Structures are given as structure tokens and as C-alpha cells.
Amino acid sequence: MKLHSTPTQQYQTITAYERDSVEINAITYTHSLIVLPETKPQQWSATSFEHLNNADFAQIEATEPDVVILGTGNKQRFVRPRLTAALAAKRIGVECMDNQAACRTYNILMAEGRKVALALIMEAA
């Protein structure tokens, strides 16, 4: 699905998404990644929802966001609270949703000037 452009081109904006990829500022990514408004997307160690671990969430925590939008793949799933405990202790909210909803939500929060991190799990086909 193609999205409409916005006046946020200096930021990392989701410009399109498919079941197995995401496009950020017209560059396509097919691996799991963490996206923040003002820094280049970084590869994320998460390879699947089932294998999420504390190290995956430590990588998100290191970006120091105010809120995390967790794209859990092609369907919405919820992580175990023990995995997000370190984020919760720092008062960093975590919202879980499927990747498409996560991309839309990230763009909205980013456009509002929020310090949001989008963590997308891109599962192998």
C-alpha cells in the first residue's frame, strides 16, 4: 500500500508497506528493524515473534524512546510482560500491533513530534 507524502521528509517516514517489506523514504527493507524519526533505520536482532528475548528489547531501550510501537508481523500478538519490564521501569510505553497498523501509527506519532521507536519484526516467508 502506498501512503500519501507529508511535510516530514527530513524524518524517517514510512512511505509504503507490504506483507514482507517496508519502505522508508523510498528505500525498501525486508529485515527486522528499528526506526526512529531522526536517525537512519537500524537492523534489529529480532527474527521472529516466537524468539523475542531480553536482548531484542535492550536494543530498543538503547534508543531511549518515549513510546515503542512494536510491529509483531502479519498479525497482532502481545509480548510477555517480562520482556518489556525494563522499558516499563523507565516509563516507556509499548504498544503491540500488526506491522501495517504499526507503520501507520508510527507515521502519525512521528508527525506529531513524539520520540517514537518503531520496532518491526519482518518474518521470513
Side-chain angles (χ1 to χ4, degrees):
M1 164 185 269
K2 286 284 185 187
L3 302 175
H4 298 286
S5 63
T6 63
T8 57
Q9 296 307 316
Q10 72 271 25
Y11 298 114
Q12 303 303 314
T13 305
I14 307 299
T15 50
Y17 50 80
E18 299 291 336
R19 285 184 57 86
D20 59 352
S21 66
V22 64
E23 184 182 282
I24 302 168
N25 293 347
I27 299 172
T28 301
Y29 297 86
T30 58
H31 55 77
S32 297
L33 50 97
I34 298 173
V35 184
L36 292 123
E38 297 179 351
T39 59
K40 182 180 175 188
Q42 59 181 285
Q43 187 158 349
W44 188 28
S45 57
T47 56
S48 71
F49 181 82
E50 292 76 17
H51 294 108
L52 283 173
N53 59 53
N54 289 330
D56 297 326
F57 286 91
Q59 190 177 352
I60 297 169
E61 183 181 350
T63 67
E64 301 180 341
D66 291 336
V67 64
V68 176
I69 305 301
L70 177 62
T72 59
N74 293 319
K75 64 181 180 177
Q76 182 180 27
R77 296 176 270 192
F78 298 95
V79 295
R80 293 184 182 99
R82 68 175 171 79
L83 292 175
T84 60
L87 293 168
K90 291 188 173 185
R91 304 185 62 75
I92 299 171
V94 178
E95 297 294 332
C96 300
M97 51 194 78
D98 67 71
N99 282 357
Q100 293 183 359
C103 289
R104 293 187 302 268
T105 303
Y106 165 81
N107 274 353
I108 291 167
L109 295 176
M110 182 268 310
E112 291 175 350
R114 302 277 305 270
K115 189 171 182 188
V116 58
L118 171 63
L120 286 176
I121 300 170
M122 302 302 271
E123 298 173 322

